[in-house]
């Protein structure tokens, strides 16, 4: 979690967070992992082909095939990694909460932006703060260990009328 106070971060927010309810993403990742393992097996077992001679042109072909299969396996395995969850930025002077995807292009960096006054409910349990948007959807849950940042955030939420 990051608490920032500068006003240099300006971009157009994405309209909503897309929620996938089916298992298509999981099946795609499993398929990519299966393709990666198959490519590794091709890269290894091409050297154990029965009846193949040890001529130089055939060895060069085996080398090129095993290198290509290795690169395909690496690409498939990296593509099968789950996406990183967005980070939460709390901008107290602006009175807003942002979900930001790190490492994304500038146009896709901002996932969602919500002002403190637009929040439906803010739950406070010790140092844990949960932010709920209209419709009963959980936007973010943060834990602040810095006492000063925690007090400043609580004051801003009370000023916005979200905490008693």
């Amino acid at each position: 979690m990051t608490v920032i106070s500068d006003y240099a971060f300006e971009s157009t927010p994405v309209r909503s967070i897309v929620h996938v309810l089916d298992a298509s993403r999981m099946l795609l990742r499993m398929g990519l992992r299966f393709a990666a393992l198959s490519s590794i097996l091709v890269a290894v077992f091409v050297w154990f082909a029965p009846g193949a001679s040890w001529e130089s042109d055939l060895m060069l072909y085996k080398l090129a095939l095993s290198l290509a299969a290795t690169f395909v396996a690496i690409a498939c395995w990296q593509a099968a990694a789950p996406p990183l969850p967005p980070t939460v930025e709390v901008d107290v002077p602006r009175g807003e909460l942002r979900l930001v995807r790190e490492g994304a292009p500038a146009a896709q960096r901002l996932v969602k932006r919500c002002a403190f006054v637009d929040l439906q409910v803010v739950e406070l349990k010790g140092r844990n703060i949960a932010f709920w948007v209209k419709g009963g959807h959980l936007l973010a849950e943060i834990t602040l260990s810095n006492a000063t940042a925690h007090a400043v955030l609580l004051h801003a939420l009370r000023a916005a009328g979200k905490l008693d």
Side-chain angles (χ1 to χ4, degrees), residues 7-126:
Y7 296 99
F9 188 76
E10 287 292 332
S11 69
T12 318
V14 178
R15 294 288 176 221
S16 65
I17 299 174
V18 177
H19 296 282
V20 179
L21 298 178
D22 58 356
S24 62
R25 189 179 306 165
M26 181 193 66
L27 290 175
L28 177 67
R29 289 194 348 233
M30 284 178 41
L32 285 171
R33 286 181 181 158
F34 179 75
L37 292 175
S38 299
S39 296
I40 286 294
L41 289 176
V42 166
V44 170
F45 287 125
V46 73
W47 294 100
F48 298 113
S53 62
W54 293 94
E55 296 174 7
S56 61
D57 57 345
L58 187 60
M59 295 301 288
L60 187 60
Y61 172 72
K62 286 183 177 184
L63 180 65
L65 182 64
S66 64
L67 285 176
T70 302
F71 286 132
V72 167
I74 291 170
C76 286
W77 195 263
Q78 286 184 347
L84 295 175
T87 59
V88 178
E89 289 184 354
V90 178
D91 194 351
V92 175
R94 281 188 172 177
E96 70 180 12
L97 185 74
R98 292 188 292 263
L99 296 179
V100 178
R101 191 168 308 279
E102 297 293 330
Q108 299 172 350
R109 182 176 160 87
L110 182 63
V111 176
K112 186 158 178 110
R113 173 184 285 164
C114 185
F116 290 162
V117 295
D118 295 334
L119 293 170
Q120 181 179 6
V121 177
V122 176
E123 293 179 356
L124 178 64
K125 295 178 185 170

